[in-house]
Amino acid sequence: MLDWMNWTQPVAIFFAVIAAILAGMTVFEIVSPCVERKGFLPIATTRGDRLFIGLLSAAYIHLVFLGVSEVSLWIALAVSVVWGLVLLRWG
Amino acid sequence: MSKVPDNRAWWLVLPVLLLVAFSALVPLMTVVNYSVQDIFGPGNAYYVGTEWFRDVLRDQRLQESLLRQFGFSAAVLAIEIPLGIAVALMMPKGGIRASLCLILLAIPLLIPWNVVGTIWQIFARGDIGLFGWGLNELGFSYNYTGDPVAAWFTVLLMDVWHWTPLVALLCYSGLRAIPEAFYQAAEIDRASRWAVFRYIQLPRLRNVLVIAVLLRFMDSFMIYTEPFVLTGGGPGSSTTFLSQTLTTMAVGQFDLGRAAAFSLVYFLIVLLVSWLFFTAITHMDKER
Amino acid sequence: MSIQEKSRSRGLGITLFIVLLMTPIYWLLNMSFKTNQEILSGLTLWPNDFTLDNYRVIFTDPSWYSGYINSMIYVVMNMAITLVVALPAAYAFSRYRFIGDKHLFFWLLSNRMAPPAVFLLPFFQLYSSIGLFDTHIAVALAHCLFNVPLAVWILEGFMSGVPREYDEMAYIDGHSFPRFFVKVFMPMISSGIGVTAFFIFMFSWVELLLARTLTSVDAQPIAAIMTRTMGASGIDWGVLAAAGVLTILPGVLVVWFVRNHVARGFALGRV
């Protein structure tokens, strides 16, 4: 029944990681509820907001790497992860 | 009104979650899968990594249709928003005439999109259409199937015809929500018509305007049916917008991998813009 | 300018706008009553040779009128499904704070903003694989993609307008939640439900791309039949115009029923 979805391993890993992040954040939220605060971003954000901004900008970072350069996407991934962590901590 | 924190509310949201997950998440996962493979048929697919994305991002045709799309959306907003406000300001304040206006204004919104295309296809033709015939009689050489400028003009006019009523209705309801006392105060101050608009009406319209801009941006950004019926994207590819390029690729040429990669890029653009708007709206709600 | 003159010029402006708005529709109506010879032989502002033949074609040919029936069926199905799932969800969003509520809300809305073209292909595959291709329920489910978020959004606005005290009073009176919801709460927001139904109807009725892709024969919507007929043996302008006129009528009827509530629905700024 799932044949038509044409699952491939990298995509499965991708979605598994996203699901794991979401689950982790939910548990984190239950254990220690977060308060909205203002960091270097122009608006006050919660942890969830910063996660979303991080993921969305990660997608764009990858697109930019693909669109204008030939360098390996692992670099884009590294940049995204660092940026995501910065965002979660100080955003 | 303060809300009660209660995680049991999840049970009430669950049906929506399941339904939307079924109709949005499963297809989204499928698109991601397609986008990294070259698919020749069922069970005959090769993993190609990010090649399709590289391809799509550098495709001249797609870049052109993206630019065209942004141009179209910008033009739509620049015309429909001011015109909608003007119409809303002119509408009667109440009674049977107001109801009549509301109903007549709502009619274009309730016509199936392909029929909107058909109406304009008929209306704008030089031989059997009142509009096309009239323009030609007035001495303009107007032919929307042959001339890119005329085609653009017609598609734009059709969209203005179709969607300005929505902006007008939104603004009208925003205006109705302004308490009469504000106008009385303005009258005592002998405020000019312009001052009333600028300092009383416009600030109060801010919320509905944000929503009108959001809706018009989103819907014009995914416009497909109307220009498809009216011009078929032509002449050449002068009125081919993003959705049509995508649909041709996916259904017409059955180029699944490329279409999927393109879909994801398209989706990311929409996601970013709608997030910006959404944040702006909720931010304003908080300020109030 | 005196006040009277001002209001007269405003009345003139709005009348002009509405006349311009109605002209293309008038032209469609006009053409639907003409014979094809008259349409092609020259421009006439009203039918000289008034005929109902174009409408007769539609009402007697099953391949035409079944399109209307199909469209009606999936629109009604979609309305039912959407309202059933959206009502409790909107209540949850308007009354409670829970983990991930804001993000869930945004995710729902992002589906309203996703171009249907993006979902075309996977939808086709999905509904084919579960054997629902070319059924009314497939189109109804597909339209939930944009109608459910919309319904939740509109209903949430209406529900937030009802003070919490009503809920609490009902609980004190000993109503259980489902009973309270159906007997007490829903009547209070009936106009909201009406407006929501109007918008669900509207967006499901006007959509073509998904409806056309998910059907071939048995559940084909009228909109798709119209595009198909245009290709065969030239274009039968008269019948096409008549079919177009008939697709406008249901919308006009619906807007007539909710005319007093539409302005309020818009007032919430949630379309």
Side-chain angles (χ1 to χ4, degrees), chain A residues 18-37:
Chain A
I18 301 270
I21 292 176
L22 285 181
M25 289 300 271
T26 311
V27 173
F28 192 15
E29 183 71 37
I30 294 171
V31 176
S32 75
C34 96
V35 214
E36 199 169 85
R37 65 166 167 84

Side-chain angles (χ1 to χ4, degrees), chain B residues 3-7 10 13 16-17 20 23 34 89 104 113-114 122 128 133 161 173 211 224 256 270 274, chain C residues 10 21-22 27 31 39 43 85 93 95-97 99 104 111 113 121 123 125 206 209 223 263 266-267 269:
Chain B
K3 295 179 187 176
V4 186
D6 189 345
N7 281 324
W10 265 101
V13 191
V16 163
L17 194 70
V20 180
S23 58
Y34 285 179
L89 286 174
L104 289 177
W113 294 346
N114 72 310
I122 292 172
I128 60 171
W133 178 83
W161 177 82
S173 57
I211 288 150
Y224 168 78
L256 299 188
V270 174
S274 46
Chain C
R10 287 164 93 206
L21 208 61
M22 290 301 122
W27 197 246
M31 262 175 87
I39 292 171
L43 221 64
V85 300
F93 281 119
R95 291 293 190 261
Y96 300 110
R97 229 174 33 225
I99 290 180
L104 189 66
N111 289 309
M113 293 150 186
L121 210 64
F123 267 0
Q125 307 269 26
V206 299
L209 192 54
F266 279 111

Side-chain angles (χ1 to χ4, degrees), chain C:
Chain C
M1 263 200 296
S2 73
I3 288 170
Q4 208 173 8
E5 267 173 65
K6 234 189 274 178
S7 79
R8 191 177 302 156
S9 73
R10 287 164 93 206
L12 206 67
I14 188 75
T15 313
L16 189 71
F17 183 78
I18 285 180
V19 166
L20 288 179
L21 208 61
M22 290 301 122
T23 316
I25 296 177
Y26 148 72
W27 197 246
L28 188 76
L29 198 63
N30 178 20
M31 262 175 87
S32 73
F33 291 119
K34 290 180 184 175
T35 59
N36 271 319
Q37 275 131 342
E38 188 181 343
I39 292 171
L40 294 172
S41 64
L43 221 64
T44 43
L45 287 179
W46 52 85
N48 289 334
D49 191 9
F50 187 88
T51 173
L52 286 171
D53 278 349
N54 298 322
Y55 289 94
R56 204 165 289 134
V57 169
I58 290 172
F59 283 118
T60 51
D61 183 352
S63 76
W64 270 108
Y65 68 74
S66 67
Y68 287 98
I69 298 169
N70 289 335
S71 294
M72 284 296 182
I73 292 175
Y74 72 68
V75 169
V76 170
M77 275 178 164
N78 176 261
M79 265 161 115
I81 299 172
T82 305
L83 282 178
V84 167
V85 300
L87 277 166
Y91 184 78
F93 281 119
S94 79
R95 291 293 190 261
Y96 300 110
R97 229 174 33 225
F98 46 96
I99 290 180
D101 52 354
K102 262 173 60 196
H103 303 102
L104 189 66
F105 202 63
F106 173 71
W107 176 64
L108 280 178
L109 275 184
S110 73
N111 289 309
R112 163 70 180 80
M113 293 150 186
V118 171
F119 289 96
L120 215 53
L121 210 64
F123 267 0
F124 178 75
Q125 307 269 26
L126 172 64
Y127 289 110
S128 301
S129 78
I130 54 178
L132 285 180
F133 178 72
D134 201 17
T135 58
H136 301 104
I137 190 78
V139 183
L141 281 175
H143 283 180
C144 283
L145 178 70
F146 46 81
N147 270 345
V148 167
L150 184 77
V152 172
W153 200 21
I154 302 175
L155 286 172
E156 197 263 342
F158 275 99
M159 289 180 182
S160 298
V162 179
R164 281 194 65 83
E165 285 71 40
Y166 286 98
D167 303 25
E168 278 149 19
M169 241 147 59
Y171 287 132
I172 293 168
D173 289 350
H175 287 291
S176 66
F177 177 73
R179 214 183 125 76
F180 150 76
F181 198 80
V182 175
K183 292 270 161 136
V184 182
F185 195 69
M186 276 170 60
M188 272 197 285
I189 52 158
S190 57
S191 67
I193 296 176
V195 170
T196 313
F198 164 74
F199 281 108
I200 298 170
F201 171 89
M202 164 174 155
F203 282 107
S204 186
W205 180 253
V206 299
E207 207 278 340
L208 170 71
L209 192 54
L210 289 175
R212 193 185 62 187
T213 313
L214 294 178
T215 55
S216 62
V217 185
D218 293 337
Q220 209 174 28
I222 179 61
I225 291 173
M226 282 178 69
T227 54
R228 192 191 56 190
T229 316
M230 276 156 68
S233 67
I235 301 174
D236 190 343
W237 292 109
V239 175
L240 188 68
V245 170
L246 290 177
T247 62
I248 302 178
L249 289 182
V252 176
L253 280 180
V254 172
V255 80
W256 176 259
F257 281 124
V258 294
R259 66 187 182 283
N260 294 324
H261 301 298
V262 170
R264 230 198 110 210
F266 279 111
L268 287 161
R270 291 155 191 266
V271 178

Side-chain angles (χ1 to χ4, degrees), chain B residues 76 80 108-109 113 158-168 216 219 223 226, chain C residues 202-203:
Chain B
V76 159
E80 288 175 15
L109 301 173
W113 294 346
M158 174 175 68
D159 201 79
V160 168
W161 177 82
H162 190 182
W163 290 111
T164 304
L166 179 72
V167 182
R216 281 317 301 133
D219 288 344
I223 189 169
E226 301 97 312
Chain C
M202 164 174 155
F203 282 107

